[in-house]
Amino acid sequence: MPAANAVRTMDSASSPPPTPGSPDGSGYGRLGEVRRRLRDHPYVVDALVAAAAFVLVLIGAATEPRGPDGEPHFGQRELNTQTVVLALLSCGVLALRRRAPLPVLCLTSLICVIGLALETGNGAPSDRRAPLVLGAVIALYTVSNSTNRRTSWRIGAVTVVVLTAAGMLFGARPWYAQENLGIFAWTGMAAAVGEAVRNRRAVVDAIRERAERAERTREEEARRRVAEERLRIARELHDVVAHHIALVNVQAGVASHVMDRRPDQAKQALAHVREASRHALGELQTTVGLLRQSGESAAPTEPAPGLGVLDELLDGFRRAGLHVELDAPALAAGEAPPLSSAVDLTAYRVVQEALTNVQKHVGTGARAEVRIRRGRRALEITVLDDGAGTDGSAPEESTAGRADRADRADGADRADGAEAHGGHGLVGMRERAAALHGHCETGPLPGGGFRVYVRLPLEPSPPRKELSA
């Protein structure tokens, strides 16, 4: 029927743009190009819909639906000027249906009712002006397609009732003639189709929005993981390199100072340099090898360092000239359950970094004390130094000068985001403690020296970031 063709034409022009690669192939070929151009010029589409509706109304008004043989015959009815003018007005306002959908629906419905009433006033009721309802059908579809559900249902119900009642009162006889029932069917279908198209467009928009949001979330998560991994790698490299390089620096300074007077001690210091550099190279090769692997890393050939090998770590500092005392009754008691790998590794790295800072900023001859206490809920690590060491590269420097230099270096090392002359050791200790939901306190002592205190909870809480050796 003419109304069906008009609704299908208008539906295809008003439907939401499909995504590229969709099954309908709208993104490819000549049909896709035509649809893209129509979407780019919606008001041109409205004008074409109005023109097509005008032609269909005139065809319907000039067609005799039931001829002598029971078949419809075109041209059997005469078109008068009044019918043409009403069709022109009803279909002409459809060009504005996107800009003012509700006023257009009111105008087309009013013109349809007026047309049916005028036809009755000219004589017996007739069905020749029933096609005027096409303009109202298209306008009702537009309103249902562009408003919310509640408004669509209300306006649709009112329009269906008004136009159906007008057809039954002023249209063909009897009142249940197929033309009157057709008005009811087409107006109801226009409201239903408009509602369905609007729901489909909302679903497509929601799916597209979720996909875009998921893509943004994936990108943000990837950037966050990359930043966390970079921090973890930087912290691990610092822990691996700083300890050994500090020992190498101290022993090289001692060797240079006693080379002429005590060559045996210089050879011993150079042997320590060689051992520390060998350990540093070995750990660097292991770390870089893990980073270069494309897949999952293989199991390590040796366990990650922990408090079980703390004595070896302290012996290395003692050989470098640092006087270290260990007060750790928690390590001597064999009844306590073993620490988790994350807590064990973090405690080891804290002691390593704290003593490395003492060796680097205070020098040889300093006295340091490591205290480890294990409670029911937390492990506490405290590292103290007296700040009274002697830098092997400048033994004649005064104690006041050493203390001033240590204060400046420690102050730079404590600053988050330290400058080029500062370190990242204390920042790394804070990050490690925070990763296990613990905390770290650092600061100078009143009588001189420095204090590092770290508290790590022992309760099974998930770490914020994965820790590795």
Side-chain angles (χ1 to χ4, degrees):
M1 295 180 67
N5 297 331
V7 170
R8 283 197 295 268
T9 304
M10 180 262 307
D11 183 15
S12 63
S14 304
S15 59
T19 56
S22 57
D24 60 357
S26 60
Y28 307 95
R30 183 175 302 176
L31 179 59
E33 181 66 23
V34 171
R35 298 192 63 172
R36 280 196 297 270
R37 290 186 178 182
L38 292 178
R39 287 195 300 268
D40 293 339
H41 303 85
Y43 298 125
V44 175
V45 175
D46 291 343
L48 294 177
V49 170
F54 177 69
V55 173
L56 292 176
V57 169
L58 295 183
I59 293 176
T63 300
E64 176 63 45
R66 294 178 299 274
D69 55 356
E71 297 294 332
H73 295 276
F74 174 72
Q76 295 295 324
R77 290 178 174 176
E78 181 181 357
L79 288 176
N80 54 36
T81 305
Q82 190 179 79
T83 302
V84 175
V85 171
L86 290 174
L88 182 62
L89 292 176
S90 178
C91 298
V93 296
L94 292 178
L96 305 175
R97 65 188 184 96
R98 294 180 193 265
R99 305 178 187 180
L102 190 56
V104 168
L105 175 61
C106 294
L107 285 175
T108 52
S109 300
L110 181 61
I111 292 172
C112 179
V113 173
I114 292 174
L116 293 174
L118 290 178
E119 182 69 11
T120 304
N122 293 334
S126 174
D127 60 351
R128 69 176 60 195
R129 291 189 178 175
L132 289 175
V133 78
L134 179 59
V137 167
I138 297 176
L140 179 58
Y141 167 87
T142 305
V143 171
S144 299
N145 188 23
S146 59
T147 59
N148 55 64
R149 174 175 297 180
R150 191 172 183 179
T151 305
S152 172
W153 282 48
R154 288 181 175 180
I155 295 178
V158 172
T159 304
V160 169
V161 170
V162 169
L163 294 182
T164 303
M168 291 180 177
L169 290 175
F170 307 117
R173 291 291 182 267
W175 62 269
Y176 52 84
Q178 64 177 6
E179 288 80 2
N180 301 332
L181 297 180
I183 293 175
F184 173 79
W186 281 111
T187 51
M189 188 178 65
V193 172
E195 177 72 15
V197 172
R198 183 181 57 80
N199 290 336
R200 175 182 176 273
R201 184 172 62 250
V203 170
V204 172
D205 292 342
I207 294 175
R208 184 181 295 110
E209 181 183 359
R210 284 198 297 269
E212 293 175 353
R213 185 168 60 249
E215 183 66 23
R216 289 194 301 269
T217 303
R218 284 194 297 269
E219 293 176 356
E220 293 173 358
E221 179 67 15
R223 286 194 295 267
R224 185 186 64 82
R225 289 180 178 272
V226 168
E228 290 181 355
E229 187 66 13
R230 290 177 62 184
L231 283 176
R232 188 184 69 84
I233 293 173
R235 186 172 60 245
E236 298 299 333
L237 289 177
H238 178 274
D239 291 341
V240 169
V241 175
H243 165 61
H244 296 292
I245 296 302
L247 294 181
V248 168
N249 180 52
V250 171
Q251 295 293 345
V254 171
S256 176
H257 181 63
V258 301
M259 180 68 72
D260 296 330
R261 292 178 297 174
R262 288 176 286 180
D264 293 339
Q265 186 177 354
K267 290 181 180 179
Q268 185 180 7
L270 291 176
H272 292 160
V273 169
R274 180 179 180 182
E275 181 181 0
S277 60
R278 180 172 57 84
H279 283 295
L281 286 175
E283 294 192 26
L284 278 177
Q285 288 176 353
T286 301
T287 304
V288 174
L290 291 175
L291 294 177
R292 289 174 63 90
Q293 290 180 0
S294 58
E296 293 292 334
S297 59
T301 57
E302 61 181 17
L307 296 181
V309 294
L310 185 61
D311 290 335
E312 299 178 9
L313 176 68
L314 300 184
D315 289 340
F317 282 105
R318 293 186 182 109
R319 288 194 301 268
L322 190 65
H323 301 284
V324 185
E325 297 180 2
L326 176 62
D327 180 13
L331 300 182
E335 298 135 7
L339 298 171
S340 65
S341 58
V343 173
D344 198 20
L345 172 62
T346 300
Y348 177 87
R349 292 301 191 194
V350 166
V351 174
Q352 181 188 49
E353 181 58 38
L355 293 179
T356 300
N357 285 341
V358 174
Q359 185 78 59
K360 180 170 61 174
H361 299 309
V362 182
T364 59
R367 292 185 177 276
E369 181 181 0
V370 179
R371 301 174 185 171
I372 300 178
R373 299 287 186 270
R374 178 171 181 171
R376 296 182 58 185
R377 296 186 176 182
L379 180 70
E380 299 179 354
I381 304 104
T382 306
V383 180
L384 306 171
D385 72 86
D386 57 4
T390 302
D391 192 342
S393 62
E396 297 82 3
E397 185 179 9
S398 64
T399 303
R402 289 195 303 271
D404 180 66
R405 185 187 69 251
D407 289 342
R408 290 196 304 269
D410 288 336
D413 202 8
R414 283 193 297 270
D416 292 339
E419 298 176 357
H421 61 277
H424 299 276
L426 299 183
V427 176
M429 280 192 283
R430 293 192 187 98
E431 291 175 351
R432 285 186 178 276
L436 297 179
H437 304 276
H439 71 275
C440 175
E441 299 176 1
T442 60
L445 297 174
F450 202 76
R451 173 179 177 269
V452 175
Y453 171 78
V454 175
R455 185 179 186 275
L456 302 175
L458 297 179
E459 295 181 356
S461 57
R464 297 177 187 174
K465 290 181 285 187
E466 181 185 358
L467 297 176
S468 63

